[in-house]
Amino acid sequence: MKKTLIAGTAVLATAAGSAVALAAPASADVERRGTCAGATYELNVDRERGGWDVDADIEGARAFSDWKVTIRHDGKVAVSRTLTADDEGELDLDAFRRNTAGKDVFKLTVTPAGGSSCSTKVTVR
């Protein structure tokens, strides 16, 4: 499952031979990554249809290993499932959430079977 990810969190420009990172506004689409049990996990939050398309991906997990994947929106569980990595060690979980007043906070927690949990958080407006 190969994906091309487009994230509006930062634009990288080269000026006078040096790299300059330009921060995007708080309403931009956001992506966060981390590592857990040798795998890379990623949380993407994209503005869609008056709400948020939330995507959690894990790559590099042990093939056919089980992972508990939980996405929270403003502290409440939006979706939580135990998923099995495919033969390439990949798995994903998607959810759509309505935009709430003020900031929307999304938290991804991934836990490999028999292992410790890892998490990341995204705040959008």
Side-chain angles (χ1 to χ4, degrees):
M1 163 185 4
K2 302 291 181 198
K3 291 186 179 181
T4 301
L5 300 175
I6 300 172
T9 57
V11 176
L12 189 60
T14 303
S18 64
V20 178
L22 305 172
S27 64
D29 300 337
V30 182
E31 161 185 310
R32 296 282 187 274
R33 292 183 182 160
T35 58
C36 192
T40 301
Y41 61 92
E42 184 173 279
L43 173 63
N44 293 294
V45 180
D46 301 320
R47 187 175 297 277
E48 274 301 315
R49 305 177 315 266
W52 303 102
D53 183 29
V54 185
D55 183 37
D57 295 306
I58 298 176
E59 295 182 358
R62 195 178 81 240
F64 309 110
S65 59
D66 289 330
W67 291 71
K68 181 174 182 183
V69 181
T70 302
I71 298 172
R72 293 181 179 273
H73 180 201
D74 293 338
K76 297 177 185 172
V77 174
V79 62
S80 183
R81 295 210 176 95
T82 299
L83 303 172
T84 301
D86 65 15
D87 61 340
E88 294 179 354
E90 299 176 352
L91 53 97
D92 71 315
L93 181 63
D94 301 318
F96 177 80
R97 303 298 295 173
R98 297 259 178 240
N99 191 12
T100 59
K103 295 178 183 177
D104 287 86
V105 179
F106 296 93
K107 182 178 181 182
L108 169 65
T109 303
V110 297
T111 309
S116 299
S117 64
C118 305
S119 63
T120 190
K121 183 169 57 169
V122 165
T123 302
V124 290
R125 294 182 192 262

